[in-house]
Amino acid sequence: MKQTLIDDAPIEQSKKHWELYCDGHDFRSSMPEYLAKNYWWAYLSPAGVRFFDHPFMVNCILWGQYHKIAADTVKLLSTESDYSLAEISCAYGEIIPKIGEGSNAKEIHLFDIAPIQLDQARKKITANNTQEKFHMFEANAEKIPLADNAVDTSLLFFLLHELPVAVRENVLQETLRITKPNGRIIIADYAPKTKSHWFHRLKFFRNIFETLEPFLGYFWRMDLNTELDKYAAITHKTVEQKSAKFYWHKFYRLLEFRVGK
Ligand SMILES: C[S@@+](CC[C@H](N)C(=O)[O-])C[C@H]1O[C@@H](n2cnc3c(N)ncnc32)[C@H](O)[C@@H]1O
């Protein structure tokens, strides 16, 4: 009898490398696609984490401004004491252990969607013996497992520019939801696009930044205060900017907002 050689089985498409970070390996199936697709090499791959997670590397990526911004962030946090802090996602370098040491917070909720990032942070706070202050958990910043008005201060350290617009909006709304009236929101990140900075003016530089950071262009062009006002209204709060500090000819900024009723 003649045998058919037709294979009816569906052809298994080979997965793209980044897709493995969504549904395989050691990671949760709910890893957001934007993170795996655009940042697997920086935040999810063990080699990337080993390579990037050094103050020197972060300082190079932030054009020599990192130590200043990190120190000013801790200083700004420490203007209050005995408060509860939500650090919305991990960050590389020295900022997490410095917050443990110098922020005057009595308890720090630190979460991230990537377990590998939480493991890194855990090593650092264990090394400087501040781990007792930290409550660490795996969570998506779009749906933070903390009650309304759970914390006095929320910190967003260079997270917002890495988020697609809809995700950024959800994260801001969640930040306002968990922050108490009379509490603070502190944001360190890129500053809006100027007409003077060479990296804003020249398409060549903009293209490099927007290739490496695919959502930065949207962040450069958005009005953060208007967006915060919008999500404050939705969460029945108000938000007022208290201070702003700029770095490197307005390329980066550190903002402090007071949340009201
Ligand atoms: C804070 S941002 C970048 C900070 C900056 N590049 C640095 O290291 O100083 C990077 C972190 O955000 C986390 N992240 C991104 N999207 C997230 C989300 N929706 N929920 C929780 N964590 C998120 C990533 O896993 C990563 O650990």
Side-chain angles (χ1 to χ4, degrees):
M1 202 170 95
K2 209 172 157 199
Q3 212 179 355
T4 84
L5 293 174
I6 297 167
D7 183 0
D8 284 337
I11 298 166
E12 176 82 18
Q13 291 281 334
S14 65
K15 282 197 182 288
K16 297 199 181 75
H17 184 71
W18 65 264
E19 286 177 304
L20 297 172
Y21 290 98
C22 279
D23 60 7
H25 290 337
D26 306 328
F27 300 105
R28 287 161 42 124
S29 54
S30 54
M31 186 64 67
E33 187 180 309
Y34 70 85
L35 184 60
K37 192 172 180 178
N38 300 292
Y39 293 110
W40 65 268
W41 50 276
Y43 299 125
L44 306 180
S45 113
V49 173
R50 275 196 301 276
F51 182 74
F52 287 110
D53 193 8
H54 304 281
F56 169 78
M57 288 303 296
V58 190
N59 198 41
C60 290
I61 294 165
L62 297 186
W63 299 91
Q65 305 303 304
Y66 174 66
H67 298 298
K68 265 184 268 174
I69 300 174
D72 287 349
T73 302
V74 177
K75 201 166 151 199
L76 187 55
L77 286 167
S78 72
T79 53
E80 292 191 1
S81 49
D82 281 342
Y83 60 96
S84 53
L85 170 68
E87 195 176 339
I88 301 180
S89 88
C90 292
Y92 282 159
E94 65 210 16
I95 184 84
I96 294 173
K98 289 237 154 114
I99 285 173
E101 272 167 10
S103 65
N104 287 337
K106 69 170 184 294
E107 52 169 3
I108 303 165
H109 302 276
L110 171 62
F111 63 90
D112 199 285
I113 193 83
I116 193 170
Q117 290 293 330
L118 290 165
D119 291 344
Q120 278 296 107
R122 205 170 283 114
K123 282 185 216 155
K124 294 182 219 171
I125 58 175
T126 308
N128 80 342
N129 213 14
T130 56
Q131 71 275 27
E132 305 254 292
K133 283 189 184 175
F134 285 85
H135 305 284
M136 297 179 75
F137 48 96
E138 195 182 315
N140 191 330
E142 287 187 83
K143 207 168 189 306
I144 304 174
L146 289 173
D148 296 358
N149 308 325
V151 296
D152 298 297
T153 302
S154 292
L155 170 67
L156 291 156
F157 191 82
F158 282 90
L159 174 67
L160 295 175
H161 76 276
E162 291 187 348
L163 304 176
V165 173
V167 176
R168 184 185 73 218
E169 291 173 354
N170 291 339
V171 170
L172 286 175
Q173 184 164 334
E174 280 292 88
T175 304
L176 273 145
R177 181 186 66 75
I178 64 164
T179 311
K180 284 179 193 166
N182 205 31
R184 298 176 293 172
I185 296 176
I186 293 178
I187 300 177
D189 218 308
Y190 285 82
K193 198 164 157 280
T194 62
K195 291 202 167 92
S196 53
H197 200 290
W198 285 103
F199 285 176
H200 292 147
R201 281 176 62 185
L202 297 185
K203 199 168 187 319
F204 171 76
F205 288 120
R206 286 204 308 271
N207 285 347
I208 295 176
F209 276 97
E210 291 184 51
T211 302
L212 292 171
E213 300 271 18
F215 310 109
L216 174 59
Y218 301 100
F219 189 67
W220 268 339
R221 292 169 185 88
M222 58 93 75
D223 182 342
L224 186 54
N225 291 51
T226 305
E227 213 160 271
L228 279 166
D229 281 341
K230 177 175 163 191
Y231 293 106
I234 291 173
T235 51
H236 308 290
K237 291 174 185 167
T238 57
V239 70
E240 188 188 348
Q241 190 174 318
K242 288 310 232 190
S243 68
K245 192 162 183 179
F246 291 89
Y247 301 83
W248 201 38
H249 310 289
K250 295 202 164 176
F251 199 63
Y252 304 108
R253 60 184 157 171
L254 173 62
L255 307 175
E256 177 192 17
F257 296 89
R258 181 67 61 185
V259 176
K261 257 200 169 189

